[in-house]
């Protein structure tokens, strides 16, 4: 990154409103409060006292997986994703587990793993199928992505709220319209709440299953590469596992019977002990996404909108938040161009300079 925000003097303390306390709003609140700005965070779903809101962020897998997600974003985002992991390690180091992640496939599906490897630089194409002993006999083909990390969203978001309170952030359990002009800046992080103002935004449903299986353990997220039922499984405390997730072009609620069956049979194919697992929850979340599935920072007057985080809210929100803080303080951030998108621009990119002059 360019200048370190934490070492340089702040020009002026600004009065900033943030609408939305998902991972984007909380990350922005952290980056801006830490710099000494006066931040008020609005979200009607947030309980009084600032406990995390029940939104898409609370439902996420919490994987910080820039390489495993390479089929869903251009390679230029890998570096930003690695930066995201670094920022998380500064914000809530106790919540981050950096044991990498493992991609596996049944023997008949190994071609999918081989095809996936082609997206990665040769030095990242490492096999390590013995890393997860309960899977190593059945799945001999594997890909180990050792820089990747994961976190559990609920305790991490709670911790982040605590840190924000300590930094003096003001929590308001109510809506706020970014059209109001009574703050120096408004950071619009409403996720799907912004669809009325942003016709490009759409919802992509992700269905998840949470189970407890005392006969099984994992040290890292595992992705099963499968032609019809790709699945990931993220370990949490107490032998609890989050299994996800479908990518359905719909913003409707609820989990279909078919998706439930597919998730459960793919899970059972991973290890037979899941036959006796206890189902704790089965639910769906809506990911805010733009047509290119890439997140955007857009600026209009004093409103800075950060949205479209799709499958990568935990991975990329902290990086976008630092871009916003650096932008407000007129500092260079090498990632800002990555997030600026303009549909009228043939290559969908604008330089930081143009972004500033648009403000
Ligand atoms: C099943 C599933 C699994 C996922 N797994 C991962 C993963 O492993 N790793 C990863 O990086 N990402 C993952 N994601 C993606 C990630 O969850 C999203 O990208 C992220 O939650 C988007 O965050 P957000 O803050 O933009 O939106 P949200 O979390 O939806 O938050 C938006 C908030 O804005 C509030 N709001 C709306 N209107 C207003 C208003 N007028 N005033 C004030 N507040 C308002 C809403 O109440 C809401 O709380 C997953 C998503 C799903 C659904």
């Amino acid at each position: 990154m360019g200048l370190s925000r934490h070492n340089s003097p702040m020009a002026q303390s600004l009065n900033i409103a943030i609408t939305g306390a998902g991972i984007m709003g909380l990350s922005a609140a952290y980056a801006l409060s830490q710099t000494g700005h006066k931040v008020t965070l609005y979200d009607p779903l947030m309980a009084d006292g600032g406990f995390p809101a029940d939104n898409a962020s609370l439902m996420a897998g919490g994987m910080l997986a820039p390489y495993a997600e390479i089929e869903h974003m251009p390679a230029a985002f890998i570096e930003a994703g690695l930066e995201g992991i670094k920022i998380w390690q500064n914000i809530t180091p106790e919540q981050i587990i950096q044991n990498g992640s493992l991609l596996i496939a049944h023997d008949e599906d190994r071609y999918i793993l081989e095809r996936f490897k082609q997206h990665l630089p040769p030095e990242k194409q490492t096999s390590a199928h013995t890393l997860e002993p309960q899977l190593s006999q059945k799945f001999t083909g594997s890909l180990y992505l050792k820089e990747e990390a994961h976190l559990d969203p609920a305790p991490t978001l709670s911790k982040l709220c605590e840190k924000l309170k300590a930094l003096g952030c003001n929590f308001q359990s109510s809506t706020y319209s970014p059209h109001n002009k009574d703050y120096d800046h408004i950071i619009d992080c409403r996720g799907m709440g912004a669809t009325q103002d942003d016709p490009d935004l759409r919802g992509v449903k992700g269905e998840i299953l949470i189970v407890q299986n005392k006969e099984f353990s994992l040290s890292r997220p595992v992705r099963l590469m499968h032609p019809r039922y790709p699945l990931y499984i993220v370990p949490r405390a107490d032998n609890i596992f989050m299994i996800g997730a479908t990518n359905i072009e719909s913003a409707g609620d609820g989990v279909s019977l078919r998706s439930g069956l597919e998730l459960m049979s793919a899970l059972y194919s991973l290890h037979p002990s899941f036959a006796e697992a206890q189902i704790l929850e089965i639910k769906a979340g809506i990911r805010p996404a733009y047509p290119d599935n890439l997140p955007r920072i857009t600026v209009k007057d004093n409103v800075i909108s950060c949205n479209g985080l799709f499958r990568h809210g935990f991975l990329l929100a902290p990086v976008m938040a630092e871009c916003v803080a650096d932008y407000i303080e007129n500092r260079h951030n090498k990632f800002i161009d990555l997030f600026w998108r303009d549909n009228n621009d043939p290559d969908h990119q604008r330089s930081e300079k143009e972004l500033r002059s648009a403000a």
Side-chain angles (χ1 to χ4, degrees):
M1 301 191 63
L3 271 175
S4 159
R5 187 152 34 83
H6 314 298
N7 297 333
S8 52
M10 186 184 53
Q12 184 194 359
S13 173
L14 299 168
N15 203 8
I16 297 177
I18 297 180
T19 56
I23 188 55
M24 188 61 242
L26 292 170
S27 301
Y30 186 80
L32 292 162
S33 304
Q34 221 202 10
T35 328
H37 294 300
K38 187 165 178 283
V39 173
T40 305
L41 182 61
Y42 292 88
D43 196 316
L45 295 182
M46 195 166 52
D48 281 329
F51 188 76
D54 188 5
N55 47 28
S57 302
L58 201 61
M59 205 159 297
M63 290 174 292
L64 306 175
Y67 292 106
E69 284 291 312
I70 195 64
E71 288 178 312
H72 298 282
M73 56 191 187
F77 281 80
I78 292 178
E79 196 189 344
L82 294 172
E83 179 70 17
I85 296 174
K86 242 193 258 169
I87 299 172
W88 273 116
Q89 275 160 343
N90 283 329
I91 304 177
T92 55
E94 63 287 1
Q95 304 292 329
I96 308 303
I97 302 173
Q98 194 165 11
N99 280 346
S101 51
L102 194 64
L103 277 58
I104 56 174
H106 293 285
D107 276 351
E108 62 275 24
D109 303 328
R110 272 174 89 150
Y111 69 95
I112 305 176
L113 208 51
E114 293 310 315
R115 196 173 58 201
F116 182 86
K117 283 183 188 170
Q118 307 309 311
H119 293 287
L120 299 174
E123 69 279 9
K124 300 293 168 205
Q125 301 180 14
T126 316
S127 292
H129 80 280
T130 53
L131 275 179
E132 296 293 351
Q134 284 181 282
L135 298 176
S136 61
Q137 290 209 325
K138 189 166 179 181
F139 299 94
T140 50
S142 71
L143 178 62
Y144 175 47
L145 301 167
K146 78 169 190 301
E147 286 105 329
E148 297 197 337
H150 69 285
L151 51 80
D152 185 346
T156 305
L157 294 170
S158 293
K159 195 82 202 163
L160 191 47
C161 288
E162 268 174 39
K163 296 207 167 197
L164 285 171
K165 268 179 249 169
L167 285 166
C169 176
N170 174 17
F171 289 86
Q172 293 292 328
S173 308
S174 59
T175 54
Y176 181 80
S177 167
H179 301 297
N180 292 341
K181 301 283 178 204
D182 39 4
Y183 284 89
D184 294 318
H185 285 284
I186 295 152
I187 319 299
D188 180 359
C189 305
R190 290 175 293 160
M192 290 300 292
T195 37
Q196 274 188 334
D197 295 326
D198 193 341
D200 277 356
L201 209 54
R202 77 188 198 287
V204 181
K205 182 157 77 168
E207 295 152 311
I208 62 162
L209 174 66
I210 299 186
V211 302
Q212 186 170 40
N213 178 1
K214 300 235 163 151
E215 306 301 315
F216 188 75
S217 62
L218 284 180
S219 302
R220 55 191 58 75
V222 169
R223 290 178 189 236
L224 177 63
M225 312 297 273
H226 190 281
R228 291 184 62 195
Y229 313 124
L231 161 139
Y232 57 72
I233 171 165
V234 190
R236 293 189 176 158
D238 300 325
N239 300 84
I240 292 175
F241 301 92
M242 184 274 203
I243 297 100
T246 48
N247 251 343
I248 298 171
E249 289 292 336
S250 152
D253 286 339
V255 180
S256 70
L257 183 89
R258 184 161 99 180
S259 298
L261 286 172
E262 286 172 1
L263 281 175
M264 287 184 228
S265 43
L267 182 61
Y268 177 60
S269 81
L270 198 69
H271 195 266
S273 65
F274 280 103
E276 299 303 324
Q278 298 294 304
I279 297 177
L280 303 181
E281 271 182 281
I282 179 159
K283 56 187 178 178
I286 307 298
R287 309 173 181 101
Y290 285 115
D292 57 5
N293 289 339
L294 298 174
R296 295 179 186 175
I297 298 174
T298 43
V299 180
K300 188 163 191 299
D301 304 325
N302 67 337
V303 180
I304 302 174
S305 304
C306 302
N307 213 328
L309 281 124
F310 185 46
R311 294 169 61 99
H312 310 120
F314 280 82
L315 184 68
L316 296 175
V319 185
M320 290 171 75
E322 292 215 336
C323 287
V324 168
D326 286 338
Y327 173 75
I328 284 177
E329 285 174 36
N330 214 20
R331 274 196 294 254
H332 173 69
N333 185 308
K334 73 175 184 180
F335 295 110
I336 198 164
D337 286 347
L338 215 48
F339 299 111
W340 179 253
R341 293 288 181 281
D342 180 352
N343 282 341
N344 301 316
D345 191 344
D347 63 0
H348 291 258
Q349 295 271 2
R350 263 205 210 173
S351 69
E352 185 184 352
K353 199 166 145 231
E354 288 170 299
L355 174 58
R356 283 182 194 290
S357 60

